[in-house]
Structure formats: C-alpha cells, structure tokens
Amino acid sequence: MSRFKDLQKNLFGGTTSNARQFGMIFTLLAIILLFQFLTARNLGVGFGDGLTLRSDNLIALFQQNSYILILAVGMLMVIVAGHIDLSVGSVAAFVGILVAKSMTDWSLPWPVAILFGLGIGVLIGAWHGFWVAYFGVPAFIVTLAGMLLFRGANQYVGSAAVPVPEGFQVMGGGFLPEIGPNTGYNNLTLLLGLAACVAVVWREMQGRRTRKEMNAEPTPLWVSGIRMAIMVGVLIFVTLRFAGGRVGTSFPISGLILVVLVIAYSFYTRNTAGGRHIYAVGGNARAAELSGVKLKRVNFFVMMNMSILAALAGMIFVARSAASGPQDGLNWELDAIAAVFIGGAAVSGGIGTISGSIVGGLVMAVLNNGLQLLGVGTDRVQIIKGLVLLLAVALDVYNKSQGRFSIIGSITRPFRREAPAAPASSSEAGSPAKTTVAG
C-alpha cells in the first residue's frame, strides 16, 4: 500500500505543476474509453471499431466545441479574479450577427470584419469593466444586465439568419491544408503533433533542470519518463487520428486558434506579473491592493479580455455555421463556467489553471458527444450533464475534506501554500489564519 501511495504521489502530486494535472487527464481518458466501449457494444463490433475514437468524430468534436473552450480560457481568468461573467453567450451572438451583416450588407472584406468584431468586443468589455472596476457594481449584476442587453440587441439587429462568405467560413470550418508529399496523412497536422511531443519532453526536462538549479529535490527520473511516455503516446495517437481522417479534413483552423490562445494565456498567467496579480486579487483582494496590486486595473482587464474572447468565439461559431442567427450563444456561459469548475477552479477565486479548464471543457464535450452517439435524447443529456457536474465536484470536495486523493486538489495544489499557524495567544485567538493564499 505504501508503494502505491508513493507512486500516486509522484505521478499525481509531484513537484511540477503539469504532473498535478494528470488526474483530470486520466478522468478524461476514462470517459473516452467508456464511450468507445459502449458505442462498439451497441454496434456489435470490436472495441477498436467504436465511434468515439473515429477520426471523423474526433475532428467534429474538437471543431464543434472550440468556441466553448475559447470561452473557458477567458472565464478562468474572470473566476480566478473572484468574478463571474453571464453575458458571454449574448456578447458572442451580438458580435457574430454584426460581423455577418458587415460583410453581407456593408461589403466589408472578411479580414476587416474580423478586426471589426474584435473591436466591438473591446468596447463591450470596456463597458463591463468600467462598471465592475470603477463603479463597484458586482460583476454578476453587470454581466446579467449585459446578457439581457446584448441578447435583445442581437435579436433587434437581425431577426433571421445572415449568411457569411466562404473566405470567412475557413476561420471556423476550415482545416490545415495539404502540403508536401502524399503520405496518407496531413503533413501539417503531423508536424503540429511532433511539435507538441517535443514541447512535452522539453517542459519536463526544463522542470527538472530548474529544480536542480534551485537545489530542490528533483522528481525521480523514472517518474518523469512515465509521464513523458504517457503524454507523448496520447499525442501520437491523437495526431494520427486527426491527420488520417477523410481527404480534405485534418486539424481544424479553430483548433489551431485555440492552441495559440492556450499557450499565450498559460504563459501570461504563470510567468508574468499581470498574471500573478490576477491570482493575488482572487486570493485576497484587500491584501493584494495593500501589496501594490492595482485592483481596478486587474478587474477591468479580466472583464474586457473576456468580452474580446467572447467576440472571437462568436465569430468562430458563425464561420462554422456559415450564418449568424438570433438564437446563437444560448447557454454558452453555462458551458464555459462548468468547464472552469470541473477543471479545478475555486468558487471563491484565486485558484485554477488554463490547461485545467481546457481539460474540464473536453470532459463535458466528450460526455455530450458520447451520449449523443448512444442515441440519448437532448433532455436526458442535459440532466446527466448537470448531475455529472454536481457529483464530480461534490465527490472531489468530499475527498479533500477526508484527506483522500483528490483530482481537483491535485490540479490546484500548485497554486496554494500553507499559511503560518494561527497565533496561540488568547488576544489573537479570534482571528484565525487563512489556510491558503494564491501564489
């Protein structure tokens, strides 16, 4: 038993932040394998012929959910800062229909229309940020008002679907092009997968090198090897699935946009002063302000950034759908919030990761996709998703309270450190110390 606990600690609760995210990744893999088995059984075929891991299904799953994952990136920063944004679906729909009309009615070239849409996102985000940061209105109220305001504006601007040109559609419905020799696989997708494998190995080795330079105990080499082997193996499998789909398909352009955003925002939140300020504000806003963090600037930034990403997500959805309609964006904010909380963010703020939110979003996406492949009705899909969200978080909270292994706790542990014990004197006994602070 002790050896098992040591293995569990090294693999899931090791010394690098990426190691602590393996628990949720394994949960995602377990759900994928479950639906692969169930769909194969329904068809009466072998496990390898199930529907979930087919190339066309994986490509469609990623393409259909890329806009939700983009929203989860922005929502993570909002929630970490201690806020919530209920307007993202309405903002995305409003920007989407304005961009569609700008191309069809105003004859704007699609690259200019994209910049126009992002500019609208900036203005909406500045509007929300002003009320939250400088007027002190809670973000819940501001964005609830924004949800109503921009939903009504969306339906006022266009009461019917508005088509978009083919050039714009590539943004949401296009794939990496075919280049180079005919290998039976999309070469650009293969190169992207190779780059991802190199990045995994480099990050693990860089983490080991950093710990040696800090004279800290390094992760056992065999543990690093297992982690790298698992991640590289998964990446190779996924790369071949995306690259080996039917002719004309490969890794989606919308997925490439998501990858760039995840890399950029992960670097920002982990390695810059601005990113650390967001965690500090969410952990303890008053303490952060006394430490020199510009509270208003941070709150303004996270709200404006969220609306910009909502605008981008709305344009990607419209591009994939080839038209914008008045019912776009419904309940998108709920999917984004669910992805963030499943990915390990704390309701009180100060804790969460970009990569964790992406994995949380993929958990919900695979669950939704798998239930649809099994022929489960939309009504029951919503019921099951709600119960899974509640039970997953409740079980994890219970495990943490009992001192047991916690998936979400494994993800969030890098962003917490134990505070000093509360003073023993009677004069200070009434002021218990906070157990964790954001790092």
Side-chain angles (χ1 to χ4, degrees):
M1 181 63 70
S2 61
R3 290 183 179 180
F4 174 77
K5 289 183 177 180
D6 289 340
L7 176 63
Q8 174 180 281
K9 178 180 178 181
N10 281 320
L11 286 178
F12 297 100
T15 55
T16 57
S17 60
N18 59 316
R20 295 183 176 107
Q21 295 172 4
F22 266 57
M24 187 61 70
I25 293 174
F26 285 150
T27 300
L28 173 61
L29 291 177
I31 294 174
I32 292 174
L33 294 177
L34 172 63
F35 283 119
Q36 176 74 1
F37 168 75
L38 293 177
T39 54
R41 188 183 65 175
N42 276 8
L43 294 174
V45 297
F47 178 82
D49 295 321
L51 299 178
T52 301
L53 291 176
R54 284 177 48 175
S55 293
D56 56 348
N57 185 64
L58 288 178
I59 291 172
L61 185 150
F62 207 83
Q63 197 174 45
Q64 291 169 2
N65 292 277
S66 57
Y67 62 94
I68 295 296
L69 298 178
I70 289 173
L71 291 177
V73 171
M75 190 66 73
L76 181 276
M77 298 173 68
V78 172
I79 289 175
V80 163
H83 304 298
I84 201 77
D85 193 331
L86 301 178
S87 70
V88 293
S90 299
V91 171
F94 177 63
V95 171
I97 204 162
L98 280 182
V99 169
K101 278 189 167 291
S102 72
M103 291 182 287
T104 57
D105 297 350
W106 311 337
S107 300
L108 282 183
W110 65 263
V112 178
I114 291 175
L115 295 178
F116 170 69
L118 293 175
I120 297 298
V122 170
L123 293 177
I124 294 174
W127 168 261
H128 287 161
F130 167 76
W131 289 106
V132 173
Y134 296 99
F135 215 79
V137 181
F140 179 89
I141 300 300
V142 172
T143 57
L144 178 60
M147 179 177 69
L148 300 173
L149 193 161
F150 295 109
R151 174 59 57 188
N154 165 257
Q155 296 175 350
Y156 176 80
V157 171
S159 57
V162 180
V164 295
E166 290 186 4
F168 182 79
Q169 293 176 25
V170 174
M171 180 182 184
F175 303 93
L176 293 179
E178 301 284 349
I179 63 169
N182 183 9
T183 61
Y185 293 93
N186 180 270
N187 293 319
L188 284 180
T189 303
L190 292 177
L191 289 175
L192 183 63
L194 176 62
C197 292
V198 172
V200 167
V201 175
W202 178 86
R203 183 178 177 184
E204 184 69 31
M205 300 312 295
Q206 184 67 21
R208 293 180 58 83
R209 188 179 303 112
T210 299
R211 292 191 62 79
K212 286 183 179 180
E213 292 174 354
M214 297 173 62
N215 294 321
E217 181 181 357
T219 304
L221 185 60
W222 65 270
V223 173
S224 295
I226 291 176
R227 286 203 296 250
M228 287 188 291
I230 292 173
M231 289 299 297
V232 169
V234 171
L235 285 171
I236 290 174
F237 175 81
V238 172
T239 297
L240 293 177
R241 288 291 178 172
F242 276 103
R246 62 180 176 82
V247 177
T249 64
S250 60
F251 195 73
I253 297 298
S254 58
L256 187 61
I257 295 172
L258 174 64
V259 168
V260 172
L261 290 175
V262 169
I263 293 174
Y265 279 93
S266 294
F267 178 84
Y268 176 78
T269 55
R270 287 199 311 259
N271 302 101
T272 69
R276 290 191 290 270
H277 288 174
I278 294 173
Y279 284 94
V281 169
N284 189 323
R286 180 59 178 165
E289 189 173 27
L290 292 174
S291 300
V293 175
K294 297 186 182 300
L295 190 60
K296 293 180 179 179
R297 181 181 298 178
V298 170
N299 288 332
F300 184 87
F301 170 76
V302 296
M303 299 306 297
M304 184 171 70
N305 177 75
M306 182 70 260
S307 291
I308 294 172
L309 291 181
L312 178 61
M315 288 188 286
I316 288 176
F317 179 82
V318 169
R320 181 180 175 276
S321 304
S324 173
Q327 299 303 313
D328 294 348
L330 289 176
N331 295 328
W332 288 8
E333 57 278 348
L334 303 183
D335 289 332
I337 292 169
V340 172
F341 285 135
I342 288 178
V347 178
S348 58
I351 294 174
T353 65
I354 298 293
S355 54
S357 297
I358 295 301
V359 174
L362 289 175
V363 167
M364 295 299 286
V366 171
L367 181 64
N368 189 65
N369 174 260
L371 292 172
Q372 290 177 347
L373 291 176
L374 293 174
V376 179
T378 304
D379 51 351
R380 286 182 290 169
V381 168
Q382 296 299 323
I383 294 172
I384 293 172
K385 286 170 62 179
L387 290 175
V388 167
L389 171 61
L390 177 61
L391 292 176
V393 177
L395 178 62
D396 198 78
V397 170
Y398 175 76
N399 283 339
K400 284 189 290 186
S401 69
Q402 298 297 311
R404 301 172 182 171
F405 174 65
S406 167
I407 293 173
I408 294 178
S410 296
I411 293 175
T412 60
R413 197 176 295 115
F415 298 92
R416 294 178 289 161
R417 57 185 174 86
E418 294 300 321
S425 62
S426 59
S427 61
E428 295 174 327
S431 302
K434 190 172 183 177
T435 55
T436 61
V437 294

